[in-house]
Amino acid sequence: MDDDHVNILVVLNYQIPLITFFLWKKAALRVCADGGANQLYDCIPHFYPHEDPTRIRTKFKPDLIKGDLDSLRPEVKAFYQGLGTCVLDASYDQDTTDLHKCVSHVLNDNVLSDCKPNQMRILVVGALGGRLDHEFGNLNILYSFPNSRIILINDESMVFLLSKEFIHRIHINRVNEGPYCGLIPLGNQAKSTTTTGLRWNLEGQSMEFGGLISVCNQLQSDDVTVMSDTDLIWTVTIDKVKGWLKESIATTEL
Ligand SMILES: Nc1ncnc2c1ncn2[C@@H]1O[C@H](COP(=O)(O)OP(=O)(O)OP(=O)(O)O)[C@@H](O)[C@H]1O
Ligand SMILES: Cc1ncc(C[n+]2csc(CCO)c2C)c(N)n1
């Protein structure tokens, strides 16, 4: 997380993980996808039970709410608009998800002056573990914007796409990440994948659903390399005790 990229946080309409508070501090822009704003509004006072709810909600003000706005509650919209949050209605589009609308806006509409799309890292919370159709929609975002840096993240896992165009060298921050990982050929057969740095490396094998897919693999090095003829989903677990999660709420300045 600590490199040259500009972090953009997108909050979805599902349980807000603890790591959100750590990512909030690191983000240059905070976006809620439609009902993601309800989640934020509702959960903040629970995370900070000793604080005045309005004061603490004001501290966690999103910059933007975008979507078809069929989930955003009127009092939540009014509250954040009153604080200056920009609310964008894209209800004319019923073919793409609210997450798609947010990511497309962030990448294409010059939301951060001086920051080009290739400098951005979009961190999405609330994408994993909920409704399965939404979860597939959320994974589909990785395939819809394959040349962008988009990470789905919760307190258990982080997930991103490895494009077949590159040989990937993934640096593992072992304080926060591991020990488990997976390489998933979602959608297509991967005819040949080669890895290093894993307990069960692939050596040119084929992977496909119904046959071999690499789940419950383990990290064995601080650097993992992956080369494949097909885009692959990479996922790695997040250590629940150390690192980011420990820092998450405790160090948030109020
Ligand atoms: N249960 C869930 N599990 C995982 N992701 C979810 C879930 N519910 C919503 N999301 C994500 O949050 C975004 C905003 O959801 P919201 O409930 O506001 O709208 P929706 O009408 O259900 O979704 P959409 O308009 O995108 O179809 C969705 O685009 C999706 O990415
Ligand atoms: C084949 C097909 N399946 C589902 C939808 C519906 N849909 C997809 S994304 C979305 C959310 C809009 O915010 C809705 C309603 C569609 N349009 N086309």
Side-chain angles (χ1 to χ4, degrees):
M1 295 293 158
D2 296 308
D3 60 13
D4 293 342
H5 286 94
V6 175
N7 293 312
I8 291 157
L9 179 65
V10 181
V11 179
L12 303 186
N13 190 11
Y14 186 60
Q15 293 162 13
I16 295 201
L18 265 180
I19 201 160
T20 307
F21 296 88
F22 173 80
L23 301 177
W24 190 275
K25 287 183 289 174
K26 304 267 175 196
L29 188 81
R30 292 99 178 205
V31 179
C32 290
D34 194 359
N38 303 340
Q39 293 286 340
L40 193 65
Y41 184 91
D42 293 340
C43 89
I44 294 286
H46 294 289
F47 281 114
Y48 293 94
H50 303 299
E51 297 290 327
D52 172 64
T54 303
R55 188 180 101 87
I56 195 71
R57 284 182 180 124
T58 304
K59 293 272 176 196
F60 290 93
K61 172 186 91 69
D63 300 293
L64 173 71
I65 301 171
K66 180 158 183 165
D68 62 359
L69 307 189
D70 58 349
S71 304
L72 180 63
R73 300 199 308 267
E75 83 272 18
V76 176
K77 181 179 177 187
F79 178 80
Y80 288 126
Q81 270 183 324
L83 297 178
T85 299
C86 172
V87 179
L88 296 177
D89 181 347
S91 54
Y92 53 85
D93 174 2
Q94 289 297 310
D95 292 330
T96 64
T97 64
D98 294 324
L99 175 57
H100 191 288
K101 292 173 174 77
C102 289
V103 170
S104 167
H105 181 63
V106 163
L107 292 173
N108 300 324
D109 295 343
N110 200 24
V111 286
L112 286 175
S113 51
D114 300 338
C115 182
K116 297 188 179 64
N118 65 2
Q119 298 171 298
M120 295 178 180
R121 173 168 47 205
I122 301 179
L123 302 156
V124 183
V125 294
L128 304 169
R131 242 172 68 185
L132 192 61
D133 62 329
H134 268 313
E135 204 164 5
F136 275 113
N138 298 334
L139 289 167
N140 189 39
I141 293 301
L142 306 180
Y143 288 85
S144 303
F145 301 92
N147 302 316
S148 306
R149 196 172 286 263
I150 303 173
I151 304 177
L152 312 181
I153 186 164
N154 67 8
D155 293 342
E156 305 272 341
S157 305
M158 57 193 239
V159 181
F160 52 90
L161 192 75
L162 303 180
S163 160
K164 66 178 180 199
E165 304 299 327
F166 305 103
I167 297 174
H168 295 271
R169 182 169 157 271
I170 306 166
H171 181 70
I172 308 290
N173 175 345
R174 294 245 236 168
V175 178
N176 297 301
E177 298 169 48
Y180 300 104
C181 61
L183 267 176
I184 319 293
L186 193 61
N188 287 310
Q189 181 190 40
K191 291 201 176 67
S192 174
T193 302
T194 300
T195 65
T196 64
L198 304 179
R199 175 149 178 207
W200 288 277
N201 281 307
L202 291 139
E203 291 164 355
Q205 282 120 300
S206 159
M207 291 196 289
E208 67 179 320
F209 275 78
L212 173 72
I213 66 170
S214 179
V215 294
C216 308
N217 212 327
Q218 292 179 26
L219 303 168
Q220 206 144 59
S221 160
D222 290 353
D223 288 293
V224 170
T225 64
V226 181
M227 184 173 66
S228 182
D229 65 322
T230 306
D231 295 347
L232 293 173
I233 296 276
W234 165 255
T235 178
V236 64
T237 52
I238 289 177
D239 193 297
K240 287 175 95 67
V241 184
K242 297 181 282 176
W244 295 327
L245 280 189
K246 204 171 134 216
E247 262 191 71
S248 205
I249 282 197
T251 61
T252 301
E253 285 171 31
L254 299 175

